[in-house]
């Protein structure tokens, strides 16, 4: 379509009127959600029970004068808050709150002349001068238009541009989507034609703004891990309080020293506090986000990492997510033959005319994706031939109309005695133009239907010749029907699948993840794409059918449907909520504004980074920076790895505290002096902390991690055999340490030597527990040959520290140690071997503990 001059006969606003309306309605922009300030993020962290326990313990130590211990604990608090705040602020900076999708400048009619103004200054009543390639600045009703088509995929999910026709300011408002509407919508792109529209809604009142409003009202799902961790922390806190009260009462009643009893209780509280848990969670999530970023995935919400590994349903949009979001020609039909077209195939001579006249029926410099596909095919296969006519000029054109879905261009060629006419449009319209016999028309209609059933967008092409007419006043036929057209053929166009998407979906199926396609496309197109993807597409549920179902009926249908077609944004949100109501862990991918509410409502929202809109990225938990659906597979793998290693770290942390608690209580029960002091506990914590947060995080995934089903949505972090194995491993380490304690006391060693022997046995037992929790089965069965570089540093640091505190006089005095160092280290060697063997026995007897 040649650019047309704007019709200045319409009365636009004056500058003064526009300023008054701007003051009344505000700027044409979507108000972004308020960004969280630093103190808001810190306050959210500090409200967690685990942090409250840490702070309380630090305050108690300050009151007791143990400044070093208090500073150590409070240092943990500061470090964890700093890590959390840093990650949150980094994500907020990378993805700003909801941006204005209408940021391009707009051309309006004001004071009787065309003006370019900032899109945010457009007001209701303004006249927008619209041309091909424009991004619409605000919702508007069309007062006039010429061959106007708009890409509304960001609102509807429909990849094919929709046709527009003129209306009036009194036209009844309609939802986006569908042909022959008199409305254009903010943020959509005009792919063909021109027109004038009167602004009806701006900012939050626009169709895009209404989606943004529903996005603000949508509640994000809570992470199952966050719920489970909170429950675990509360239980550990109850156990710690109960043990402390019990110890204080026993000590006080048996010895009569209540102040010392209180101090013993506080020491026990410090040994049972779960201070590793916030470290584990923060480090695992932060390092998990870093690992995922190496696969071009940005993490906006850290708890999404582990939840993705538990995903059971992946709801995905088609356009721009599974497909490349551009059209290509896949099939050509002419003279009773069909040609399959590949990206690098040559074009045989019989089909040259079809592509030639398809290009002649298109714009010279097209914006429409289907016309661009025609030009690309012609430039690749017909370049240098007589079938490309770059020197020809359009002398007349016939627009597409609701009555006849076809358009024609009349061309004047150099040295041609006649004008060439090229037409393209809906197959039935081209058949009508060519006045084909009934039997021939039925054959072509059947072929077109078969092509459409294959997921193709089908266009018919025709050609004709017109006499030149008078040089000064050529006489053109009034209607296209007055021209004698000849049928040339059919074009089959497709929005191709992304190269790796079929394999990615297959891997999701192998991992037990159900992939569901939710699209605005026709059911026939959706079914064809689903078959190409390898989805079980026996049933399709359309948006119209969905509206007739109650919530209960919809939830009952969901297990049998994997393809949803002609779905509008509100229905996408309803589908996600229904899947969640069925107990599924839902991940939703998308790139358009229409996906944003569903992205936020899902447990995991995954937005496209390149083609995705700002609204979608803001709502999502994860952003695929390279728009590669295959990155989902790597993200799922990493999510499962994070959860597996997190569970191992938690199991180790629970087991490692049992010997600490036991040795803290045993001397009290036996009437002996206390063995463990704050310095000993902190030394042990320096082993437990890095082992939990760094060593286990760096562990490689198991070989079958993507060949097993997702864990149950209600599965506890610790349950059944897994909990039993962890507890019994801790008891095994306690039994070894207690045995050395009893032996040392019976052998008559002094208090400081006994303390050195038992402490060394506990350190050695911790190392054995690290090895014992590396795998889900026996301690050396799966990871024995896999190197974890962190392990050597933990072993080196632990052994070095132990040797120093046993041999350096100043440290020996600080830790209240004495005795022969070789003897003590020999006890440690015996303890590590004994604990490791008992751990292996526990796993063999109790079973696979996970």
């Amino acid at each position: 379509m040649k650019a047309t001059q704007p019709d200045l006969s319409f009365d636009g606003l004056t500058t003064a009127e526009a300023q008054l309306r701007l003051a009344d309605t505000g700027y044409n922009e979507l108000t972004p959600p308020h960004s969280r300030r630093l103190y808001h993020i810190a306050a959210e962290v500090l409200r967690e029970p685990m942090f409250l326990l840490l702070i309380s313990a630090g305050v108690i130590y300050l009151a007791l004068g143990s400044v070093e211990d208090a500073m150590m604990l409070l240092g943990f608090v500061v470090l964890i808050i700093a890590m959390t705040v840093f990650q949150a602020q980094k994500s907020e900076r990378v993805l700003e709150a909801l941006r204005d999708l209408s940021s391009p400048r707009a051309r309006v009619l004001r004071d009787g002349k065309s003006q370019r103004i900032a899109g945010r200054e457009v007001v209701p009543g303004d006249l927008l001068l619209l041309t091909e390639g424009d991004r619409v600045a605000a919702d508007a009703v069309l007062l006039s238009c010429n061959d106007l088509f708009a890409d509304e995929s960001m609102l509807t999910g429909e990849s094919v541009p929709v046709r527009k026709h003129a209306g009036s300011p009194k036209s009844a408002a309609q939802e986006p989507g569908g042909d022959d509407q008199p409305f254009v919508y903010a943020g959509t792109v005009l792919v063909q034609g021109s027109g004038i529209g009167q602004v009806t809604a701006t900012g939050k009142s626009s169709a895009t703004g209404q989606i943004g409003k529903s996005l603000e009202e949508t509640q994000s799902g809570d992470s199952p891990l966050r719920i489970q961790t909170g429950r675990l922390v509360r239980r550990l806190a109850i156990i710690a309080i109960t043990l402390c009260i019990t110890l204080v009462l026993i000590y006080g009643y048996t010895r009569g020293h209540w102040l010392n009893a209180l101090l013993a209780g506080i020491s026990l509280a410090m040994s049972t506090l779960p201070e590793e848990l916030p470290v584990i969670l923060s480090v695992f999530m932060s390092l998990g986000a870093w690992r995922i970023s190496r696969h071009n995935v940005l993490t906006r919400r850290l708890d999404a990492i582990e939840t993705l590994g538990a995903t059971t349903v992946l709801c995905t949009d088609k356009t721009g997510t599974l497909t490349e979001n551009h059209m290509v020609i896949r099939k050509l039909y002419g003279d009773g033959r069909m040609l399959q077209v590949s990206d690098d195939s040559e074009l045989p001579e019989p089909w040259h005319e079809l592509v030639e006249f398809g290009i002649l029926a298109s714009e010279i410099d097209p914006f429409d994706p289907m016309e661009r596909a025609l030009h690309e095919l012609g430039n690749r296969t017909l370049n240098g031939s007589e079938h490309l006519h770059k020197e020809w000029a359009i002398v007349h054109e016939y627009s597409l109309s609701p009555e006849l879905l076809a358009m024609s261009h009349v061309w004047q060629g150099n040295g041609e005695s006649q004008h060439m006419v090229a037409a393209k449009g809906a197959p039935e319209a081209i058949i009508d133009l060519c006045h084909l016999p009934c039997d021939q028309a039925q054959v072509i209609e059947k072929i077109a239907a078969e092509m459409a059933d294959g997921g193709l967008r089908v266009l018919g092409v025709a050609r004709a010749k017109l006499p030149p007419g008078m040089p000064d006043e050529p006489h053109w036929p009034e209607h296209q029907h007055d021209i004698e057209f000849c049928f040339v053929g059919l074009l089959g166009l497709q929005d191709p699948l992304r190269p790796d998407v079929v394999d990615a979906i297959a891997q999701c199926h192998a991992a037990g993840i159900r992939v569901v396609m939710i699209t605005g496309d026709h059911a026939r197109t959706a079914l064809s794409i689903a078959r190409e993807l390898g989805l079980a597409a026996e049933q399709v549920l359309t948006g119209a059918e969905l509206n007739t179902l109650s919530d209960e009926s919809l939830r009952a249908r969901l297990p049998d449907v994997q393809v949803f077609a002609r779905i509008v944004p509100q229905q996408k949100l309803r589908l996600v909520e229904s899947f969640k109501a069925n107990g599924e862990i839902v991940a939703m991918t998308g790139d358009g504004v229409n996906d944003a509410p569903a992205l936020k409502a899902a447990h995991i929202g995954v937005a496209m980074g390149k083609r995705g809109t700002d609204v979608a990225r803001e709502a999502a938990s994860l952003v695929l920076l390279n728009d590669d659906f295959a990155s989902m597979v790597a993200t799922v793998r990493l999510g499962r790895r994070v959860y597996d290693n997190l569970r191992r770290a938690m199991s180790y942390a629970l087991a490692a505290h049992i010997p600490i608690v036991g040795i803290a209580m045993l001397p009290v029960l036996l009437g002996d002096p206390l063995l463990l002091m704050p310095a000993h506990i902190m030394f042990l914590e320096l082993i437990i902390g890095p082992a939990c947060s760094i060593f286990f995080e760096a562990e490689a995934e198991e070989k079958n991690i993507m060949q097993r089903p997702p864990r149950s949505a209600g599965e506890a972090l610790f349950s059944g055999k897994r909990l039993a194995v962890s507890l019994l491993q801790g008891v095994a380490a306690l039994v070894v340490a207690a045995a050395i304690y009893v032996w040392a006391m019976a052998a008559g060693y002094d208090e400081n030597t006994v303390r050195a022997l038992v402490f060394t046995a506990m350190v050695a037992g911790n190392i054995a527990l690290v090895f014992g929790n590396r795998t889900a089965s026996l301690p050396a069965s799966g990871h024995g040959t896999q190197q974890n570089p962190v392990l050597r540093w933990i072993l080196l640091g632990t052994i070095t520290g132990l040797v120093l505190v046993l041999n350096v006089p100043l440290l020996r005095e600080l830790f209240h140690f004495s005795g022969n160092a070789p003897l003590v280290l020999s006890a440690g060697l015996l303890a590590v071997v004994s604990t490791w063997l008992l751990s292996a026995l526990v796993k063999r007897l109790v079973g696979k503990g996970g």
Side-chain angles (χ1 to χ4, degrees), residues 23-87:
D24 182 46
T25 62
Y27 285 110
N28 176 33
E29 57 187 0
L30 304 181
T31 304
H34 297 293
S35 59
R36 294 183 300 168
R37 297 183 181 275
L38 289 176
Y39 63 84
H40 287 150
I41 301 172
E44 291 175 5
V45 177
L46 290 174
R47 281 197 294 268
E48 295 290 336
M50 57 187 72
F51 287 98
L52 295 177
L53 284 172
L54 277 173
I55 294 172
S56 300
V59 171
I60 291 173
Y61 265 93
L62 283 175
L64 293 174
S66 298
V67 178
E68 295 82 1
D69 296 312
M71 290 300 101
M72 178 70 73
L73 288 176
L74 295 178
F76 268 117
V77 173
V78 173
L79 177 62
I80 296 162
I81 292 176
M83 291 174 60
T84 305
V85 169
F86 172 77
Q87 179 64 34

Side-chain angles (χ1 to χ4, degrees), residues 495-512:
D495 184 3
L497 299 179
R498 293 180 179 274
D500 299 330
V501 71
V502 174
D503 181 61
I505 289 179
Q507 291 187 53
C508 286
H509 288 162

Side-chain angles (χ1 to χ4, degrees), residues 785-826:
T785 59
Q786 298 184 19
Q787 296 298 319
N788 186 332
V790 179
L791 179 60
R792 65 172 65 95
W793 293 107
I794 290 179
L795 291 176
L796 180 62
T798 301
I799 294 172
T800 301
L802 189 60
V803 170
L804 290 175
V805 298
L806 290 175
N807 291 278
V808 177
L810 178 62
L811 294 178
R812 282 166 62 95
E813 183 178 351
L814 177 64
F815 278 77
H816 301 280
F817 286 161
S818 63
N820 182 271
L823 172 67
V824 175
L825 291 175
S826 298

Side-chain angles (χ1 to χ4, degrees), residues 131-173:
T131 58
E132 180 178 297
D134 284 352
R135 184 178 292 276
V136 181
D139 289 5
V141 59
L142 290 168
L143 304 182
S144 71
C145 67
N146 187 15
D147 281 350
L148 189 63
F149 282 75
D151 178 359
E152 297 180 351
S153 62
M154 63 173 288
L155 289 172
T156 66
E158 171 63 69
S159 59
V160 178
V162 293
R163 182 178 59 253
K164 300 295 181 180
H165 74 78
S168 72
K170 296 182 180 180
S171 298

Side-chain angles (χ1 to χ4, degrees), residues 757-801:
L757 288 167
V758 174
F759 178 78
T760 302
M762 294 176 67
V763 171
N766 261 289
I767 297 299
L769 291 176
V770 169
F771 282 94
N773 282 277
R774 291 192 71 186
T775 64
S777 54
L778 295 182
S781 64
H783 283 61
T785 59
Q786 298 184 19
Q787 296 298 319
N788 186 332
V790 179
L791 179 60
R792 65 172 65 95
W793 293 107
I794 290 179
L795 291 176
L796 180 62
T798 301
I799 294 172
T800 301

Side-chain angles (χ1 to χ4, degrees), residues 585-745:
I585 300 297
V586 183
M588 168 75 184
T589 71
D591 61 353
V593 174
N594 61 313
D595 298 322
L599 286 174
K600 187 172 183 180
H603 293 101
I604 305 294
V606 185
M608 301 295 129
K610 289 182 178 178
R611 289 190 175 95
T613 60
D614 295 324
V615 176
R617 290 194 292 268
E618 171 65 27
S621 303
L622 302 173
V623 179
L624 303 183
L625 297 177
N626 59 355
D627 286 8
D628 188 356
F629 184 85
S631 296
M632 288 291 296
V633 177
T635 307
V636 169
R637 179 186 298 274
L638 285 170
R640 292 188 175 193
R641 167 184 165 177
V642 167
Y643 190 85
D644 285 353
N645 290 342
L646 178 64
R647 193 163 56 191
R648 294 186 183 112
M650 294 283 194
S651 297
Y652 164 74
L654 180 61
H657 276 83
I658 291 176
I660 301 177
V661 174
I663 295 301
M665 295 187 67
L666 186 60
V668 176
L669 298 176
L670 296 178
D672 297 327
L674 294 176
L675 287 179
L676 295 182
M677 299 178 181
H680 306 128
I681 295 175
M682 294 313 300
F683 188 98
L684 292 171
E685 294 294 343
L686 288 175
I687 301 173
I688 298 173
C692 289
S693 60
I694 300 177
F695 170 76
F696 284 105
E697 193 282 330
E699 283 284 85
E701 71 268 9
E702 294 186 350
K703 293 181 180 180
N704 68 338
I705 195 168
M706 292 299 288
Q707 280 76 47
R708 68 190 191 207
R711 65 182 184 277
S712 171
E715 180 182 345
L717 194 62
F718 288 107
S719 61
K721 293 180 179 179
R722 186 176 300 115
L723 178 62
V725 167
S726 180
L727 292 174
L728 289 175
Q729 283 181 326
V731 170
L734 173 59
V735 167
V736 172
I740 291 178
Y741 170 72
V742 172
W743 167 77
M745 292 295 292

Side-chain angles (χ1 to χ4, degrees), residues 75 125 198 294 297 315 386 400 585 616 727:
Q198 186 177 64
R294 299 172 67 185
V297 179
C315 300
E386 61 181 6
L400 189 126
I585 300 297
L727 292 174

Side-chain angles (χ1 to χ4, degrees), residues 489-550:
L490 299 175
L491 303 168
L493 298 101
Q494 181 188 52
D495 184 3
L497 299 179
R498 293 180 179 274
D500 299 330
V501 71
V502 174
D503 181 61
I505 289 179
Q507 291 187 53
C508 286
H509 288 162
I513 299 172
R514 180 183 170 203
V515 180
V516 172
M517 186 171 72
I518 303 176
T519 178
D521 279 340
H522 291 281
R524 198 160 55 184
T525 303
L527 264 177
S528 175
I529 295 294
R531 295 189 187 103
E532 285 190 67
L533 293 169
L535 297 179
E538 298 178 0
Q539 297 186 43
V540 178
L541 185 64
T542 65
E545 294 174 297
L546 190 148
N547 283 335
T548 66
L549 299 176
S550 66

